[in-house]
Amino acid sequence: MSSKQKTCLDISQVEQLLADDTYEVTEFIGSGGIACVYKVKERNTPNIYALKLLRDEYIENERFMAIFRREATHLRDLAYPNIVRYFKFVEREDCAYILTEFVDGNALSAFTKQTKQTKELLPVAATVRIMVQIARAIHYLHREGFVH
């Protein structure tokens, strides 16, 4: 890790960064290498989304901004049941975020972590169901010219 600590903003800080007060940040979901993900609710509607916010330390780095822009562009161009739906990309001087469909459930990493901790394998039927969904999404991506 670099001298800058990779941390995610708290909910109130994220709300201050958003372009308008259309969304209420309700929960921190998780983080990856260059972004943090939050659950947001569109005010005065039942709509729930996932907001992927580029980390502060990368906002002025053109290489990471290009990666984030490319991800938003790719998501915008994809439509498949096993890939989250894209809604919006916002890029400003102080932040950049991608708004996508919120999918309620456990991440695949949670299943693998649980398996490692408990040393109990997932039932075969569950494993097959997960693998089929992954394979179908990857097949779709390849047909569309993407390599994942």
Side-chain angles (χ1 to χ4, degrees):
M1 196 173 310
S2 69
S3 60
K4 286 188 176 183
Q5 187 68 16
K6 288 185 177 182
T7 59
C8 293
L9 300 176
D10 66 35
I11 289 172
S12 63
Q13 292 171 307
V14 176
E15 282 191 333
Q16 290 175 8
L17 275 178
L18 297 183
D20 56 44
D21 65 350
T22 303
Y23 307 104
E24 173 188 353
V25 183
T26 61
E27 184 180 335
F28 170 76
I29 297 174
S31 63
I34 68 168
C36 302
V37 181
Y38 302 85
K39 182 178 178 181
V40 298
K41 181 187 182 305
E42 187 174 20
R43 294 183 198 278
N44 303 316
T45 76
N47 301 333
I48 304 292
Y49 302 98
L51 183 134
K52 186 173 186 176
L53 178 68
L54 185 66
R55 292 178 189 272
D56 281 348
E57 58 262 33
Y58 299 121
I59 199 71
E60 293 182 16
N61 184 313
E62 188 50 43
R63 181 174 146 247
F64 287 106
M65 278 302 303
I67 291 168
F68 204 62
R69 275 187 214 105
R70 192 169 43 249
E71 178 179 348
T73 301
H74 290 171
L75 271 175
R76 181 194 67 216
D77 296 338
L78 298 173
Y80 192 76
N82 298 109
I83 298 173
V84 294
R85 286 180 27 218
Y86 165 93
F87 291 105
K88 180 194 289 189
F89 174 64
V90 173
E91 180 180 349
R92 297 193 335 249
E93 190 175 296
D94 60 345
C95 73
Y97 61 87
I98 302 169
L99 194 69
T100 68
E101 168 185 24
F102 173 75
V103 178
D104 199 10
N106 294 321
L108 182 58
S109 59
F111 288 115
T112 57
K113 184 177 181 180
Q114 179 184 2
T115 299
K116 285 180 183 179
Q117 289 174 343
T118 63
K119 303 220 186 292
E120 292 181 26
L121 298 177
L122 283 174
V124 173
T127 303
V128 169
R129 184 175 38 79
I130 291 167
M131 294 305 296
V132 165
Q133 291 174 20
I134 293 169
R136 286 179 176 159
I138 291 172
H139 177 70
Y140 168 77
L141 288 171
H142 288 189
R143 275 194 342 249
E144 295 298 311
F146 294 98
V147 177
H148 189 275

